[in-house]
């Protein structure tokens, strides 16, 4: 259930990046014109997507724990034991995974020279 939720989040992330592609290209061109280095821009993009990934991991871990609790106690009649590794690994792995996926999807938008982007070519 956790990986299904995380996979759906990755698909939504990719769709969101593609929908805002031109806006991100203009934004990166303006930031680079104002003096931001490409390395700094890529770091800012990674932090942005890492934060989104951590939030998605929190939501996915919450849903997975709640579903596990409901199934264990209400359907099967088992005792439920919360797994802390689901929260630790789930949150940070989704943060790193979505941060990296967002960086890779946004990287081509930062390579083009700013002057060429601002001129509209």
């Amino acid at each position: 259930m956790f990986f299904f939720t995380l996979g759906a989040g990755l698909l939504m992330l990719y769709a969101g990046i593609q929908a805002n592609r031109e806006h991100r290209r203009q934004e990166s061109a303006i930031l680079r014109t104002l003096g931001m280095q490409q390395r700094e821009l890529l770091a800012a993009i990674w932090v942005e997507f890492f934060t989104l990934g951590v939030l998605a991991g929190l939501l996915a871990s919450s849903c997975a724990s709640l579903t596990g609790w409901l199934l264990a106690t209400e359907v099967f009649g088992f005792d439920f034991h919360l797994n802390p590794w689901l929260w630790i690994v789930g949150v940070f792995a989704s943060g790193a995974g979505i941060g990296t996926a967002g960086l890779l999807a946004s990287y081509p938008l930062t390579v083009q020279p700013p002057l060429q982007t601002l001129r509209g070519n």
Side-chain angles (χ1 to χ4, degrees), residues 55-103:
L55 293 174
L58 285 171
L59 181 63
S61 296
S62 299
C63 290
S65 294
L66 180 63
T67 303
W69 175 77
L70 283 172
L71 286 174
T73 58
E74 302 299 322
V75 175
F76 298 114
F78 296 147
D79 290 335
F80 178 73
H81 301 287
L82 184 65
N83 185 0
W85 286 108
L86 174 71
W87 288 84
I88 295 168
V89 172
V91 169
F92 290 109
S94 67
I98 291 176
T100 303
L103 180 67

Side-chain angles (χ1 to χ4, degrees), residues 7 16-17 19 24 33 38 40-41 49-52 88 96 108 110 117:
I17 291 172
R24 283 192 176 274
T33 301
Q38 184 177 7
E40 293 171 331
L41 182 60
F49 284 111
F50 178 80
T51 303
L52 288 173
I88 295 168
T110 64
T117 302

